[in-house]
Amino acid sequence: DAGVIQSPRHEVTEMGQEVTLRCKPISGHNSLFWYRQTMMRGLELLIYFNNNVPIDDSGMPEDRFSAKMPNASFSTLKIQPSEPRDSAVYFCASSYGALNTEAFFGQGTRLTVV
Amino acid sequence: EDKVVQSPLSLVVHEGDTVTLNCSYEVTNFRSLLWYKQEKKAPTFLFMLTSSGIEKKSGRLSSILDKKELSSILNITATQTGDSAIYLCAVGAAGNKLTFGGGTRVLVKP
């Protein structure tokens, strides 16, 4: 298995632009997580899905952030409009099972908003 | 709100030293505690501890879960420069929710 695949690996955009981050989880995994990592705040859970259904989005910073999971093999995290404070590394992770098992992480998307 | 706190924030040791990292948590419907190592890129999985497996060991790394104290420790013995990384603790709760602590940055000097 190729693991969790995220794209793009790097994104530089101007303030106010829309940004879409993509994630392909490991086949067969039924939970998907979006995390944001910064030096100041560490690894923050933004939202997670279970069987394609958003379960907890309380970590989403504000309405500018939205996430979708239209099917078991694809998810997007969208920021519109983007702001410089959104600059961070965004990780997608997936796991399997009704009980917690280890989550496998993608390589992350480094987002820079200028 | 689920909370996971790690200490210390960072530490510097020399090769051969032993380090002990701490993780404490407050979560609703605890299911598991996981340790990850993060070097340059994505976190990689080390251990998972649950009510049925409160102690794990792999080589120089070992971890114990104390459900009474709502905490866990990660020990690294005979440290090597390759152990330099951020060590992350995560707690799994009902519904597969996984919440991470802020991490402990470990630097092992030659």
Side-chain angles (χ1 to χ4, degrees), chain A residues 31 33 35 37 39 43 45 48 50 56 91 97-100 102-103 105-107, chain B residues 31-32 34 36 38 41-43 45 48 88 92-98 100 105:
Chain A
S31 291
F33 308 83
Y35 291 93
Q37 188 173 40
M39 288 290 290
L43 201 60
L45 176 64
Y48 79 104
N50 201 21
D56 185 345
F91 286 105
L99 297 177
N100 294 102
E102 64 266 30
F105 281 75
Q107 291 302 299
Chain B
R31 292 287 185 266
S32 59
L34 300 89
Y36 285 80
Q38 185 177 24
K41 295 183 179 176
F45 174 75
M48 183 170 74
L88 296 163
N96 280 0
K97 183 176 182 179
L98 198 61
F100 280 80
R105 185 180 295 272

PDB file of all heavy atoms in Angstrom, chain A residues 31 33 35 37 39 43 45 48 50 56 91 97-100 102-103 105-107, chain B residues 31-32 34 36 38 41-43 45 48 88 92-98 100 105:
ATOM      1  N   SER A  31     -11.581   5.643   9.166  1.00  0.00           N
ATOM      2  CA  SER A  31     -11.516   6.930   9.857  1.00  0.00           C
ATOM      3  C   SER A  31     -10.462   7.807   9.196  1.00  0.00           C
ATOM      4  O   SER A  31      -9.384   7.324   8.836  1.00  0.00           O
ATOM      5  CB  SER A  31     -11.164   6.753  11.336  1.00  0.00           C
ATOM      6  OG  SER A  31     -12.225   6.134  12.022  1.00  0.00           O
ATOM      7  N   PHE A  33      -8.581  11.766   9.475  1.00  0.00           N
ATOM      8  CA  PHE A  33      -8.348  12.922  10.328  1.00  0.00           C
ATOM      9  C   PHE A  33      -7.614  14.006   9.549  1.00  0.00           C
ATOM     10  O   PHE A  33      -6.706  13.705   8.772  1.00  0.00           O
ATOM     11  CB  PHE A  33      -7.464  12.536  11.529  1.00  0.00           C
ATOM     12  CG  PHE A  33      -7.941  11.345  12.306  1.00  0.00           C
ATOM     13  CD1 PHE A  33      -7.635  10.057  11.889  1.00  0.00           C
ATOM     14  CD2 PHE A  33      -8.685  11.501  13.465  1.00  0.00           C
ATOM     15  CE1 PHE A  33      -8.061   8.947  12.604  1.00  0.00           C
ATOM     16  CE2 PHE A  33      -9.116  10.393  14.190  1.00  0.00           C
ATOM     17  CZ  PHE A  33      -8.802   9.123  13.755  1.00  0.00           C
ATOM     18  N   TYR A  35      -5.278  17.293  10.512  1.00  0.00           N
ATOM     19  CA  TYR A  35      -4.566  17.989  11.571  1.00  0.00           C
ATOM     20  C   TYR A  35      -3.816  19.176  10.987  1.00  0.00           C
ATOM     21  O   TYR A  35      -3.427  19.178   9.818  1.00  0.00           O
ATOM     22  CB  TYR A  35      -3.531  17.066  12.241  1.00  0.00           C
ATOM     23  CG  TYR A  35      -4.089  15.947  13.061  1.00  0.00           C
ATOM     24  CD1 TYR A  35      -4.305  14.692  12.492  1.00  0.00           C
ATOM     25  CD2 TYR A  35      -4.401  16.116  14.403  1.00  0.00           C
ATOM     26  CE1 TYR A  35      -4.806  13.642  13.249  1.00  0.00           C
ATOM     27  CE2 TYR A  35      -4.900  15.068  15.167  1.00  0.00           C
ATOM     28  CZ  TYR A  35      -5.094  13.839  14.579  1.00  0.00           C
ATOM     29  OH  TYR A  35      -5.607  12.806  15.327  1.00  0.00           O
ATOM     30  N   GLN A  37      -0.408  21.588  12.022  1.00  0.00           N
ATOM     31  CA  GLN A  37       0.729  21.655  12.938  1.00  0.00           C
ATOM     32  C   GLN A  37       1.484  22.964  12.754  1.00  0.00           C
ATOM     33  O   GLN A  37       1.875  23.318  11.644  1.00  0.00           O
ATOM     34  CB  GLN A  37       1.688  20.483  12.721  1.00  0.00           C
ATOM     35  CG  GLN A  37       2.790  20.396  13.773  1.00  0.00           C
ATOM     36  CD  GLN A  37       3.627  19.143  13.636  1.00  0.00           C
ATOM     37  OE1 GLN A  37       3.960  18.705  12.541  1.00  0.00           O
ATOM     38  NE2 GLN A  37       3.978  18.540  14.771  1.00  0.00           N
ATOM     39  N   MET A  39       4.462  25.609  15.042  1.00  0.00           N
ATOM     40  CA  MET A  39       5.407  25.619  16.167  1.00  0.00           C
ATOM     41  C   MET A  39       4.705  26.064  17.437  1.00  0.00           C
ATOM     42  O   MET A  39       4.950  25.541  18.523  1.00  0.00           O
ATOM     43  CB  MET A  39       6.568  26.562  15.856  1.00  0.00           C
ATOM     44  CG  MET A  39       7.519  26.026  14.813  1.00  0.00           C
ATOM     45  SD  MET A  39       8.470  24.649  15.429  1.00  0.00           S
ATOM     46  CE  MET A  39       9.529  25.477  16.603  1.00  0.00           C
ATOM     47  N   LEU A  43       0.258  19.982  17.192  1.00  0.00           N
ATOM     48  CA  LEU A  43      -0.597  19.241  16.264  1.00  0.00           C
ATOM     49  C   LEU A  43      -2.043  19.352  16.744  1.00  0.00           C
ATOM     50  O   LEU A  43      -2.410  18.806  17.776  1.00  0.00           O
ATOM     51  CB  LEU A  43      -0.148  17.783  16.237  1.00  0.00           C
ATOM     52  CG  LEU A  43      -0.522  16.919  15.054  1.00  0.00           C
ATOM     53  CD1 LEU A  43       0.043  17.477  13.768  1.00  0.00           C
ATOM     54  CD2 LEU A  43      -0.033  15.500  15.266  1.00  0.00           C
ATOM     55  N   LEU A  45      -6.135  18.797  16.075  1.00  0.00           N
ATOM     56  CA  LEU A  45      -7.148  18.089  15.304  1.00  0.00           C
ATOM     57  C   LEU A  45      -8.168  19.091  14.797  1.00  0.00           C
ATOM     58  O   LEU A  45      -8.784  19.817  15.570  1.00  0.00           O
ATOM     59  CB  LEU A  45      -7.829  17.041  16.180  1.00  0.00           C
ATOM     60  CG  LEU A  45      -8.984  16.269  15.541  1.00  0.00           C
ATOM     61  CD1 LEU A  45      -8.493  15.424  14.369  1.00  0.00           C
ATOM     62  CD2 LEU A  45      -9.667  15.384  16.577  1.00  0.00           C
ATOM     63  N   TYR A  48     -12.552  15.149  12.034  1.00  0.00           N
ATOM     64  CA  TYR A  48     -12.347  13.765  11.636  1.00  0.00           C
ATOM     65  C   TYR A  48     -13.645  13.151  11.157  1.00  0.00           C
ATOM     66  O   TYR A  48     -14.740  13.553  11.563  1.00  0.00           O
ATOM     67  CB  TYR A  48     -11.672  12.939  12.730  1.00  0.00           C
ATOM     68  CG  TYR A  48     -12.548  12.468  13.861  1.00  0.00           C
ATOM     69  CD1 TYR A  48     -12.984  11.143  13.943  1.00  0.00           C
ATOM     70  CD2 TYR A  48     -12.897  13.321  14.893  1.00  0.00           C
ATOM     71  CE1 TYR A  48     -13.751  10.706  14.996  1.00  0.00           C
ATOM     72  CE2 TYR A  48     -13.663  12.878  15.959  1.00  0.00           C
ATOM     73  CZ  TYR A  48     -14.082  11.577  16.007  1.00  0.00           C
ATOM     74  OH  TYR A  48     -14.846  11.132  17.064  1.00  0.00           O
ATOM     75  N   ASN A  50     -15.717   9.435  10.184  1.00  0.00           N
ATOM     76  CA  ASN A  50     -15.829   8.008  10.406  1.00  0.00           C
ATOM     77  C   ASN A  50     -16.819   7.474   9.374  1.00  0.00           C
ATOM     78  O   ASN A  50     -17.963   7.953   9.321  1.00  0.00           O
ATOM     79  CB  ASN A  50     -16.312   7.724  11.824  1.00  0.00           C
ATOM     80  CG  ASN A  50     -15.964   6.328  12.275  1.00  0.00           C
ATOM     81  OD1 ASN A  50     -15.074   5.691  11.741  1.00  0.00           O
ATOM     82  ND2 ASN A  50     -16.656   5.855  13.291  1.00  0.00           N
ATOM     83  N   ASP A  56     -16.676  15.065  14.273  1.00  0.00           N
ATOM     84  CA  ASP A  56     -16.339  16.158  15.184  1.00  0.00           C
ATOM     85  C   ASP A  56     -15.558  17.200  14.399  1.00  0.00           C
ATOM     86  O   ASP A  56     -14.444  16.933  13.966  1.00  0.00           O
ATOM     87  CB  ASP A  56     -15.514  15.635  16.359  1.00  0.00           C
ATOM     88  CG  ASP A  56     -15.244  16.702  17.413  1.00  0.00           C
ATOM     89  OD1 ASP A  56     -15.429  17.897  17.120  1.00  0.00           O
ATOM     90  OD2 ASP A  56     -14.857  16.336  18.537  1.00  0.00           O
ATOM     91  N   PHE A  91      -1.712  17.939   8.013  1.00  0.00           N
ATOM     92  CA  PHE A  91      -1.576  16.494   7.883  1.00  0.00           C
ATOM     93  C   PHE A  91      -2.946  15.842   7.776  1.00  0.00           C
ATOM     94  O   PHE A  91      -3.892  16.225   8.447  1.00  0.00           O
ATOM     95  CB  PHE A  91      -0.865  15.892   9.102  1.00  0.00           C
ATOM     96  CG  PHE A  91       0.604  16.157   9.167  1.00  0.00           C
ATOM     97  CD1 PHE A  91       1.117  17.089  10.047  1.00  0.00           C
ATOM     98  CD2 PHE A  91       1.478  15.443   8.350  1.00  0.00           C
ATOM     99  CE1 PHE A  91       2.486  17.329  10.119  1.00  0.00           C
ATOM    100  CE2 PHE A  91       2.851  15.672   8.423  1.00  0.00           C
ATOM    101  CZ  PHE A  91       3.345  16.617   9.303  1.00  0.00           C
ATOM    102  N   GLY A  97     -10.979   0.651  12.098  1.00  0.00           N
ATOM    103  CA  GLY A  97     -11.537  -0.116  13.192  1.00  0.00           C
ATOM    104  C   GLY A  97     -12.522   0.669  14.029  1.00  0.00           C
ATOM    105  O   GLY A  97     -12.494   1.897  14.082  1.00  0.00           O
ATOM    106  N   ALA A  98     -13.382  -0.036  14.681  1.00  0.00           N
ATOM    107  CA  ALA A  98     -14.342   0.594  15.581  1.00  0.00           C
ATOM    108  C   ALA A  98     -13.642   1.066  16.840  1.00  0.00           C
ATOM    109  O   ALA A  98     -14.013   2.070  17.433  1.00  0.00           O
ATOM    110  CB  ALA A  98     -15.452  -0.389  15.931  1.00  0.00           C
ATOM    111  N   LEU A  99     -12.636   0.346  17.268  1.00  0.00           N
ATOM    112  CA  LEU A  99     -11.820   0.790  18.396  1.00  0.00           C
ATOM    113  C   LEU A  99     -10.608   1.517  17.841  1.00  0.00           C
ATOM    114  O   LEU A  99     -10.208   1.292  16.718  1.00  0.00           O
ATOM    115  CB  LEU A  99     -11.366  -0.395  19.237  1.00  0.00           C
ATOM    116  CG  LEU A  99     -12.485  -1.188  19.908  1.00  0.00           C
ATOM    117  CD1 LEU A  99     -11.906  -2.378  20.657  1.00  0.00           C
ATOM    118  CD2 LEU A  99     -13.281  -0.306  20.845  1.00  0.00           C
ATOM    119  N   ASN A 100     -10.042   2.350  18.654  1.00  0.00           N
ATOM    120  CA  ASN A 100      -8.900   3.133  18.177  1.00  0.00           C
ATOM    121  C   ASN A 100      -7.715   2.241  17.831  1.00  0.00           C
ATOM    122  O   ASN A 100      -7.320   1.395  18.608  1.00  0.00           O
ATOM    123  CB  ASN A 100      -8.485   4.142  19.235  1.00  0.00           C
ATOM    124  CG  ASN A 100      -9.539   5.183  19.454  1.00  0.00           C
ATOM    125  OD1 ASN A 100     -10.276   5.118  20.417  1.00  0.00           O
ATOM    126  ND2 ASN A 100      -9.633   6.129  18.544  1.00  0.00           N
ATOM    127  N   GLU A 102      -3.777   2.576  15.590  1.00  0.00           N
ATOM    128  CA  GLU A 102      -2.834   3.632  15.238  1.00  0.00           C
ATOM    129  C   GLU A 102      -3.274   4.314  13.957  1.00  0.00           C
ATOM    130  O   GLU A 102      -3.787   3.674  13.034  1.00  0.00           O
ATOM    131  CB  GLU A 102      -1.420   3.084  15.095  1.00  0.00           C
ATOM    132  CG  GLU A 102      -1.220   2.090  13.964  1.00  0.00           C
ATOM    133  CD  GLU A 102      -1.385   0.671  14.454  1.00  0.00           C
ATOM    134  OE1 GLU A 102      -2.160   0.445  15.405  1.00  0.00           O
ATOM    135  OE2 GLU A 102      -0.728  -0.210  13.874  1.00  0.00           O
ATOM    136  N   ALA A 103      -3.088   5.632  13.910  1.00  0.00           N
ATOM    137  CA  ALA A 103      -3.370   6.397  12.712  1.00  0.00           C
ATOM    138  C   ALA A 103      -2.084   6.532  11.911  1.00  0.00           C
ATOM    139  O   ALA A 103      -1.009   6.735  12.464  1.00  0.00           O
ATOM    140  CB  ALA A 103      -3.905   7.775  13.082  1.00  0.00           C
ATOM    141  N   PHE A 105      -0.059   8.597   9.023  1.00  0.00           N
ATOM    142  CA  PHE A 105      -0.051   9.960   8.527  1.00  0.00           C
ATOM    143  C   PHE A 105       0.467  10.053   7.106  1.00  0.00           C
ATOM    144  O   PHE A 105       1.371   9.302   6.706  1.00  0.00           O
ATOM    145  CB  PHE A 105       0.845  10.834   9.417  1.00  0.00           C
ATOM    146  CG  PHE A 105       0.196  11.250  10.698  1.00  0.00           C
ATOM    147  CD1 PHE A 105       0.052  10.349  11.751  1.00  0.00           C
ATOM    148  CD2 PHE A 105      -0.283  12.535  10.860  1.00  0.00           C
ATOM    149  CE1 PHE A 105      -0.555  10.735  12.928  1.00  0.00           C
ATOM    150  CE2 PHE A 105      -0.886  12.927  12.045  1.00  0.00           C
ATOM    151  CZ  PHE A 105      -1.027  12.033  13.078  1.00  0.00           C
ATOM    152  N   GLY A 106      -0.098  11.011   6.369  1.00  0.00           N
ATOM    153  CA  GLY A 106       0.496  11.407   5.107  1.00  0.00           C
ATOM    154  C   GLY A 106       1.709  12.280   5.360  1.00  0.00           C
ATOM    155  O   GLY A 106       2.029  12.603   6.503  1.00  0.00           O
ATOM    156  N   GLN A 107       2.378  12.656   4.291  1.00  0.00           N
ATOM    157  CA  GLN A 107       3.599  13.456   4.417  1.00  0.00           C
ATOM    158  C   GLN A 107       3.316  14.932   4.670  1.00  0.00           C
ATOM    159  O   GLN A 107       4.237  15.708   4.907  1.00  0.00           O
ATOM    160  CB  GLN A 107       4.464  13.290   3.166  1.00  0.00           C
ATOM    161  CG  GLN A 107       5.064  11.893   3.052  1.00  0.00           C
ATOM    162  CD  GLN A 107       5.912  11.549   4.255  1.00  0.00           C
ATOM    163  OE1 GLN A 107       6.906  12.205   4.550  1.00  0.00           O
ATOM    164  NE2 GLN A 107       5.514  10.519   4.994  1.00  0.00           N
TER     165      GLN A 107
ATOM    166  N   ARG B  31     -10.056   5.322  25.222  1.00  0.00           N
ATOM    167  CA  ARG B  31      -9.921   4.015  24.586  1.00  0.00           C
ATOM    168  C   ARG B  31      -8.471   3.564  24.520  1.00  0.00           C
ATOM    169  O   ARG B  31      -8.168   2.394  24.725  1.00  0.00           O
ATOM    170  CB  ARG B  31     -10.491   4.058  23.169  1.00  0.00           C
ATOM    171  CG  ARG B  31     -11.982   4.225  23.100  1.00  0.00           C
ATOM    172  CD  ARG B  31     -12.698   2.950  23.503  1.00  0.00           C
ATOM    173  NE  ARG B  31     -14.137   3.060  23.330  1.00  0.00           N
ATOM    174  CZ  ARG B  31     -14.966   3.428  24.290  1.00  0.00           C
ATOM    175  NH1 ARG B  31     -14.498   3.719  25.492  1.00  0.00           N
ATOM    176  NH2 ARG B  31     -16.252   3.498  24.043  1.00  0.00           N
ATOM    177  N   SER B  32      -7.550   4.499  24.197  1.00  0.00           N
ATOM    178  CA  SER B  32      -6.162   4.094  23.996  1.00  0.00           C
ATOM    179  C   SER B  32      -5.246   5.297  24.106  1.00  0.00           C
ATOM    180  O   SER B  32      -5.693   6.445  24.019  1.00  0.00           O
ATOM    181  CB  SER B  32      -5.990   3.451  22.613  1.00  0.00           C
ATOM    182  OG  SER B  32      -6.361   4.371  21.607  1.00  0.00           O
ATOM    183  N   LEU B  34      -1.457   6.521  22.498  1.00  0.00           N
ATOM    184  CA  LEU B  34      -0.485   6.187  21.462  1.00  0.00           C
ATOM    185  C   LEU B  34       0.707   7.129  21.546  1.00  0.00           C
ATOM    186  O   LEU B  34       0.562   8.301  21.854  1.00  0.00           O
ATOM    187  CB  LEU B  34      -1.115   6.302  20.071  1.00  0.00           C
ATOM    188  CG  LEU B  34      -2.325   5.411  19.776  1.00  0.00           C
ATOM    189  CD1 LEU B  34      -3.630   6.097  20.159  1.00  0.00           C
ATOM    190  CD2 LEU B  34      -2.355   5.026  18.308  1.00  0.00           C
ATOM    191  N   TYR B  36       3.969   8.577  19.261  1.00  0.00           N
ATOM    192  CA  TYR B  36       4.497   8.751  17.912  1.00  0.00           C
ATOM    193  C   TYR B  36       5.852   9.453  17.995  1.00  0.00           C
ATOM    194  O   TYR B  36       6.114  10.220  18.922  1.00  0.00           O
ATOM    195  CB  TYR B  36       3.572   9.621  17.054  1.00  0.00           C
ATOM    196  CG  TYR B  36       2.324   8.934  16.570  1.00  0.00           C
ATOM    197  CD1 TYR B  36       1.224   8.780  17.403  1.00  0.00           C
ATOM    198  CD2 TYR B  36       2.243   8.445  15.271  1.00  0.00           C
ATOM    199  CE1 TYR B  36       0.070   8.158  16.949  1.00  0.00           C
ATOM    200  CE2 TYR B  36       1.090   7.833  14.809  1.00  0.00           C
ATOM    201  CZ  TYR B  36       0.013   7.689  15.654  1.00  0.00           C
ATOM    202  OH  TYR B  36      -1.119   7.071  15.200  1.00  0.00           O
ATOM    203  N   GLN B  38       8.225  12.005  15.638  1.00  0.00           N
ATOM    204  CA  GLN B  38       8.214  12.845  14.449  1.00  0.00           C
ATOM    205  C   GLN B  38       9.598  13.432  14.233  1.00  0.00           C
ATOM    206  O   GLN B  38      10.084  14.197  15.059  1.00  0.00           O
ATOM    207  CB  GLN B  38       7.169  13.956  14.560  1.00  0.00           C
ATOM    208  CG  GLN B  38       7.041  14.781  13.293  1.00  0.00           C
ATOM    209  CD  GLN B  38       5.963  15.830  13.376  1.00  0.00           C
ATOM    210  OE1 GLN B  38       5.586  16.267  14.463  1.00  0.00           O
ATOM    211  NE2 GLN B  38       5.438  16.245  12.231  1.00  0.00           N
ATOM    212  N   LYS B  41       9.370  14.831   8.982  1.00  0.00           N
ATOM    213  CA  LYS B  41       8.096  14.906   8.245  1.00  0.00           C
ATOM    214  C   LYS B  41       6.934  14.409   9.105  1.00  0.00           C
ATOM    215  O   LYS B  41       6.642  14.940  10.155  1.00  0.00           O
ATOM    216  CB  LYS B  41       8.223  14.131   6.938  1.00  0.00           C
ATOM    217  CG  LYS B  41       9.221  14.746   5.988  1.00  0.00           C
ATOM    218  CD  LYS B  41       9.281  14.014   4.674  1.00  0.00           C
ATOM    219  CE  LYS B  41      10.272  14.676   3.727  1.00  0.00           C
ATOM    220  NZ  LYS B  41      10.417  13.926   2.462  1.00  0.00           N
ATOM    221  N   ALA B  42       6.293  13.359   8.649  1.00  0.00           N
ATOM    222  CA  ALA B  42       5.073  12.909   9.311  1.00  0.00           C
ATOM    223  C   ALA B  42       5.386  12.104  10.572  1.00  0.00           C
ATOM    224  O   ALA B  42       6.413  11.434  10.662  1.00  0.00           O
ATOM    225  CB  ALA B  42       4.253  12.061   8.346  1.00  0.00           C
ATOM    226  N   PRO B  43       4.504  12.164  11.562  1.00  0.00           N
ATOM    227  CA  PRO B  43       4.669  11.309  12.749  1.00  0.00           C
ATOM    228  C   PRO B  43       4.601   9.836  12.367  1.00  0.00           C
ATOM    229  O   PRO B  43       3.804   9.442  11.515  1.00  0.00           O
ATOM    230  CB  PRO B  43       3.471  11.700  13.622  1.00  0.00           C
ATOM    231  CG  PRO B  43       3.053  13.058  13.140  1.00  0.00           C
ATOM    232  CD  PRO B  43       3.346  13.062  11.680  1.00  0.00           C
ATOM    233  N   PHE B  45       4.311   5.887  14.016  1.00  0.00           N
ATOM    234  CA  PHE B  45       3.756   5.203  15.183  1.00  0.00           C
ATOM    235  C   PHE B  45       4.822   4.429  15.947  1.00  0.00           C
ATOM    236  O   PHE B  45       5.668   3.768  15.355  1.00  0.00           O
ATOM    237  CB  PHE B  45       2.661   4.252  14.701  1.00  0.00           C
ATOM    238  CG  PHE B  45       2.088   3.357  15.754  1.00  0.00           C
ATOM    239  CD1 PHE B  45       1.208   3.850  16.695  1.00  0.00           C
ATOM    240  CD2 PHE B  45       2.440   2.019  15.789  1.00  0.00           C
ATOM    241  CE1 PHE B  45       0.676   3.015  17.665  1.00  0.00           C
ATOM    242  CE2 PHE B  45       1.916   1.179  16.752  1.00  0.00           C
ATOM    243  CZ  PHE B  45       1.019   1.680  17.696  1.00  0.00           C
ATOM    244  N   MET B  48       0.992   1.571  21.087  1.00  0.00           N
ATOM    245  CA  MET B  48      -0.370   1.840  21.526  1.00  0.00           C
ATOM    246  C   MET B  48      -0.604   1.099  22.831  1.00  0.00           C
ATOM    247  O   MET B  48      -0.281  -0.097  22.944  1.00  0.00           O
ATOM    248  CB  MET B  48      -1.413   1.405  20.499  1.00  0.00           C
ATOM    249  CG  MET B  48      -2.818   1.754  20.918  1.00  0.00           C
ATOM    250  SD  MET B  48      -4.053   1.538  19.640  1.00  0.00           S
ATOM    251  CE  MET B  48      -4.179  -0.239  19.592  1.00  0.00           C
ATOM    252  N   LEU B  88       5.378  12.563  20.280  1.00  0.00           N
ATOM    253  CA  LEU B  88       3.995  12.974  20.431  1.00  0.00           C
ATOM    254  C   LEU B  88       3.190  11.895  21.136  1.00  0.00           C
ATOM    255  O   LEU B  88       3.318  10.702  20.828  1.00  0.00           O
ATOM    256  CB  LEU B  88       3.374  13.248  19.061  1.00  0.00           C
ATOM    257  CG  LEU B  88       3.988  14.405  18.264  1.00  0.00           C
ATOM    258  CD1 LEU B  88       3.595  14.307  16.808  1.00  0.00           C
ATOM    259  CD2 LEU B  88       3.547  15.733  18.846  1.00  0.00           C
ATOM    260  N   GLY B  92      -6.811   8.224  22.236  1.00  0.00           N
ATOM    261  CA  GLY B  92      -7.970   7.842  21.461  1.00  0.00           C
ATOM    262  C   GLY B  92      -9.195   7.737  22.338  1.00  0.00           C
ATOM    263  O   GLY B  92      -9.142   7.191  23.443  1.00  0.00           O
ATOM    264  N   ALA B  93     -10.300   8.279  21.844  1.00  0.00           N
ATOM    265  CA  ALA B  93     -11.545   8.248  22.599  1.00  0.00           C
ATOM    266  C   ALA B  93     -12.623   7.594  21.756  1.00  0.00           C
ATOM    267  O   ALA B  93     -12.399   7.213  20.613  1.00  0.00           O
ATOM    268  CB  ALA B  93     -11.942   9.664  22.995  1.00  0.00           C
ATOM    269  N   ALA B  94     -13.773   7.466  22.344  1.00  0.00           N
ATOM    270  CA  ALA B  94     -14.897   6.830  21.652  1.00  0.00           C
ATOM    271  C   ALA B  94     -15.158   7.520  20.328  1.00  0.00           C
ATOM    272  O   ALA B  94     -15.023   8.734  20.217  1.00  0.00           O
ATOM    273  CB  ALA B  94     -16.140   6.885  22.533  1.00  0.00           C
ATOM    274  N   GLY B  95     -15.523   6.724  19.340  1.00  0.00           N
ATOM    275  CA  GLY B  95     -15.787   7.283  18.025  1.00  0.00           C
ATOM    276  C   GLY B  95     -14.527   7.486  17.211  1.00  0.00           C
ATOM    277  O   GLY B  95     -14.546   8.138  16.177  1.00  0.00           O
ATOM    278  N   ASN B  96     -13.437   6.899  17.667  1.00  0.00           N
ATOM    279  CA  ASN B  96     -12.160   6.982  16.946  1.00  0.00           C
ATOM    280  C   ASN B  96     -11.499   8.348  16.989  1.00  0.00           C
ATOM    281  O   ASN B  96     -10.593   8.619  16.226  1.00  0.00           O
ATOM    282  CB  ASN B  96     -12.316   6.554  15.481  1.00  0.00           C
ATOM    283  CG  ASN B  96     -12.332   5.045  15.343  1.00  0.00           C
ATOM    284  OD1 ASN B  96     -12.229   4.329  16.325  1.00  0.00           O
ATOM    285  ND2 ASN B  96     -12.485   4.570  14.140  1.00  0.00           N
ATOM    286  N   LYS B  97     -11.945   9.236  17.856  1.00  0.00           N
ATOM    287  CA  LYS B  97     -11.318  10.546  17.931  1.00  0.00           C
ATOM    288  C   LYS B  97      -9.916  10.407  18.511  1.00  0.00           C
ATOM    289  O   LYS B  97      -9.714   9.734  19.514  1.00  0.00           O
ATOM    290  CB  LYS B  97     -12.135  11.479  18.823  1.00  0.00           C
ATOM    291  CG  LYS B  97     -11.583  12.887  18.892  1.00  0.00           C
ATOM    292  CD  LYS B  97     -12.494  13.776  19.716  1.00  0.00           C
ATOM    293  CE  LYS B  97     -11.970  15.202  19.735  1.00  0.00           C
ATOM    294  NZ  LYS B  97     -12.850  16.104  20.509  1.00  0.00           N
ATOM    295  N   LEU B  98      -8.952  11.056  17.889  1.00  0.00           N
ATOM    296  CA  LEU B  98      -7.554  10.974  18.306  1.00  0.00           C
ATOM    297  C   LEU B  98      -7.035  12.384  18.539  1.00  0.00           C
ATOM    298  O   LEU B  98      -6.961  13.182  17.614  1.00  0.00           O
ATOM    299  CB  LEU B  98      -6.745  10.274  17.209  1.00  0.00           C
ATOM    300  CG  LEU B  98      -5.380   9.701  17.566  1.00  0.00           C
ATOM    301  CD1 LEU B  98      -5.511   8.636  18.643  1.00  0.00           C
ATOM    302  CD2 LEU B  98      -4.738   9.099  16.328  1.00  0.00           C
ATOM    303  N   PHE B 100      -3.960  14.858  20.055  1.00  0.00           N
ATOM    304  CA  PHE B 100      -2.527  14.872  20.324  1.00  0.00           C
ATOM    305  C   PHE B 100      -2.153  15.910  21.378  1.00  0.00           C
ATOM    306  O   PHE B 100      -2.795  16.965  21.493  1.00  0.00           O
ATOM    307  CB  PHE B 100      -1.754  15.198  19.040  1.00  0.00           C
ATOM    308  CG  PHE B 100      -1.584  14.011  18.130  1.00  0.00           C
ATOM    309  CD1 PHE B 100      -2.611  13.610  17.298  1.00  0.00           C
ATOM    310  CD2 PHE B 100      -0.403  13.292  18.123  1.00  0.00           C
ATOM    311  CE1 PHE B 100      -2.468  12.504  16.461  1.00  0.00           C
ATOM    312  CE2 PHE B 100      -0.235  12.194  17.295  1.00  0.00           C
ATOM    313  CZ  PHE B 100      -1.283  11.807  16.475  1.00  0.00           C
ATOM    314  N   ARG B 105      10.214  17.860  22.496  1.00  0.00           N
ATOM    315  CA  ARG B 105      11.346  17.874  21.555  1.00  0.00           C
ATOM    316  C   ARG B 105      12.589  17.355  22.267  1.00  0.00           C
ATOM    317  O   ARG B 105      13.012  17.931  23.280  1.00  0.00           O
ATOM    318  CB  ARG B 105      11.583  19.295  21.038  1.00  0.00           C
ATOM    319  CG  ARG B 105      12.657  19.386  19.966  1.00  0.00           C
ATOM    320  CD  ARG B 105      12.822  20.828  19.512  1.00  0.00           C
ATOM    321  NE  ARG B 105      11.625  21.328  18.847  1.00  0.00           N
ATOM    322  CZ  ARG B 105      11.360  21.210  17.553  1.00  0.00           C
ATOM    323  NH1 ARG B 105      12.240  20.598  16.776  1.00  0.00           N
ATOM    324  NH2 ARG B 105      10.258  21.704  17.038  1.00  0.00           N
TER     325      ARG B 105
END
